[in-house]
Amino acid sequence: MNGQSVRPMRPEDCDTVIQILADSDPWKTLGYDHKDWTRIFCPIPQGRESFVAEAGGQVTGIAVIREKFLLGDYLELLGVAGWARRQGTGRQLLTHVETLVFARTKNLFACVSDFNRDARDFYRKQGYQEIGPMPNFLIPGSAEILLRKSAGPARS
């Protein structure tokens, strides 16, 4: 994590974010391409919080949060450039997101593809529980697994 920081996404980050996502799995396996990411990120998604990780002035990752999902918030997207993986970027982005989310609500949800073992292990190490699969949610023959990390019950 040397020299890495997290900041809100800016319009000038769009091309780099699109390239990071278009070049990496699980997105390629799920059928997302450059055109899909351009539609999603140009302009920056409204009604969501979008953050980028940056090192040496270069964007290394992206996180997008949707507020108010199942008595919590939803981490809609977490992606790290292939060349920047295993350097703490994902953990730094996730920690930033969790700090914001748990200041306002008790639950953070995410999804991970059943075939994405690295991501499943990553989230497990960060304290997420697998709630259950959603079969054939994005592509035939594969499931998205709903994850949850909690700071306690929604009601006290």
Side-chain angles (χ1 to χ4, degrees):
M1 290 196 302
N2 294 343
Q4 290 191 78
S5 61
V6 176
R7 62 168 173 78
M9 185 176 173
R10 301 187 292 240
E12 59 267 24
D13 300 323
C14 286
D15 288 341
T16 304
V17 165
I18 289 164
Q19 198 62 51
I20 286 170
L21 296 169
D23 286 347
S24 66
D25 264 325
W27 315 113
K28 290 193 299 189
T29 300
L30 293 170
Y32 287 85
D33 61 19
H34 196 275
K35 183 175 137 186
D36 295 313
W37 295 117
T38 299
R39 182 179 42 76
I40 292 167
F41 283 104
C42 295
I44 294 173
Q46 298 299 305
R48 293 164 177 78
E49 295 174 296
S50 302
F51 300 95
V52 295
E54 186 177 60
Q58 189 169 14
V59 172
T60 58
I62 173 79
V64 179
I65 308 165
R66 178 186 294 259
E67 290 186 55
K68 297 183 170 103
F69 176 85
L70 294 176
L71 300 175
D73 286 355
Y74 179 67
L75 178 60
E76 198 168 85
L77 177 86
L78 180 68
V80 175
W83 54 266
R85 292 186 182 157
R86 306 212 185 282
Q87 298 174 27
T89 303
R91 187 174 61 250
Q92 185 176 17
L93 271 166
L94 190 58
T95 298
H96 181 81
V97 165
E98 289 173 354
T99 299
L100 294 172
V101 168
F102 291 134
R104 64 183 173 231
T105 190
K106 299 283 187 174
N107 294 292
L108 179 57
F109 297 90
C111 278
V112 63
S113 299
D114 60 356
F115 61 83
N116 192 346
R117 287 277 168 215
D118 289 343
R120 289 175 75 180
D121 290 344
F122 168 77
Y123 283 110
R124 192 175 302 111
K125 288 176 187 172
Q126 307 312 311
Y128 286 76
Q129 293 182 315
E130 293 189 357
I131 302 304
M134 295 179 283
N136 299 311
F137 189 73
L138 291 176
I139 58 172
S142 181
E144 290 298 300
I145 300 169
L146 182 64
L147 308 173
R148 174 182 174 237
K149 185 171 183 177
S150 178
R155 297 178 57 126
S156 49

